[in-house]
Amino acid sequence: MNARPPENVIRLELLSLPANVGVARNAVATFASQADFTLADIDEIRLAVSEAVTNAVVHAYPGRTGWVRVTARLSEGQLQVEVEDEGIGIADVPRARQAAYTTDPERMGLGFSFMEAFMDHVEVGPGASGGTRVVMSRRFAPLPAKEGPAPGQGG
Ligand SMILES: Nc1ncnc2c1ncn2[C@@H]1O[C@H](COP(=O)(O)OP(=O)(O)O)[C@@H](O)[C@H]1O
Ligand SMILES: [Mg+2]
């Protein structure tokens, strides 16, 4: 088998309250610190997580609170962070991802732009039980070279 298990995973479940944005941001930053990221990298990861969790807090559950699940995974040279809610979802994801697009005139509409700027890869789609799921990843180690057959094992 080539598939290696994840090196480490944390999963947090938070109520969609503003006070919990900092909790999620700090937990993921502390978790990511065990990998080979610089302090500047960690600050960028912190901002990206903050934007994704803020979106779940602010947009997912209008007029109520709900659960936000944050999963962070260190595996195969990268950090992956998943932020999932069970809220109203996003009808038009490409439009929502456009810079300066917002459904709330009090906001700037730059959350997804920040996530894209600070992470290598950002995916946005429906969650497992409705709502929205954002998956972001950032590498801390170069991709491993393709392994050839081990010496003496033939090919
Ligand atoms: N978790 C979410 N649930 C529902 N709608 C969301 C969610 N995240 C983002 N959105 C929608 O995408 C839009 C753009 O998000 P973003 O770029 O972070 O800008 P802002 O939060 O400033 O509006 C939001 O205005 C909102 O309509
Ligand atoms: Mg936002």
Side-chain angles (χ1 to χ4, degrees):
M1 290 289 282
N2 279 329
R4 281 193 295 153
E7 284 137 38
N8 198 3
V9 182
I10 59 169
R11 182 170 287 171
L12 310 168
E13 293 197 307
L14 312 147
L15 274 184
S16 61
L17 298 172
N20 290 336
V21 174
V23 176
R25 172 174 65 208
N26 288 335
V28 175
T30 304
F31 177 77
S33 308
Q34 70 196 285
D36 203 5
F37 286 116
T38 66
L39 287 180
D41 295 339
I42 298 285
D43 275 343
E44 293 184 350
I45 290 163
R46 196 189 286 276
L47 277 165
V49 171
S50 198
E51 291 297 333
V53 176
T54 297
N55 277 354
V57 167
V58 167
H59 301 296
Y61 301 105
R64 64 184 182 107
T65 54
W67 288 105
V68 183
R69 173 186 277 189
V70 179
T71 306
R73 184 179 283 110
L74 283 168
S75 183
E76 299 183 348
Q78 71 172 7
L79 169 76
Q80 186 192 67
V81 183
E82 194 179 302
V83 177
E84 190 170 349
D85 64 62
E86 297 167 9
I88 58 172
I90 301 178
D92 184 343
V93 169
R95 187 173 59 163
R97 289 182 72 154
Q98 280 169 22
Y101 175 83
T102 180
T103 48
D104 177 349
E106 305 275 285
R107 298 191 174 267
M108 294 196 301
L110 294 177
F112 285 122
S113 302
F114 283 135
M115 289 179 236
E116 284 162 11
F118 295 142
M119 302 295 278
D120 295 331
H121 194 73
V122 179
E123 268 172 58
V124 185
S129 20
T132 300
R133 179 169 172 262
V134 176
V135 185
M136 322 183 263
S137 61
R138 180 155 170 168
R139 298 205 68 80
F140 56 86
L143 281 168
K146 279 260 183 219
E147 275 178 56
Q153 288 193 338

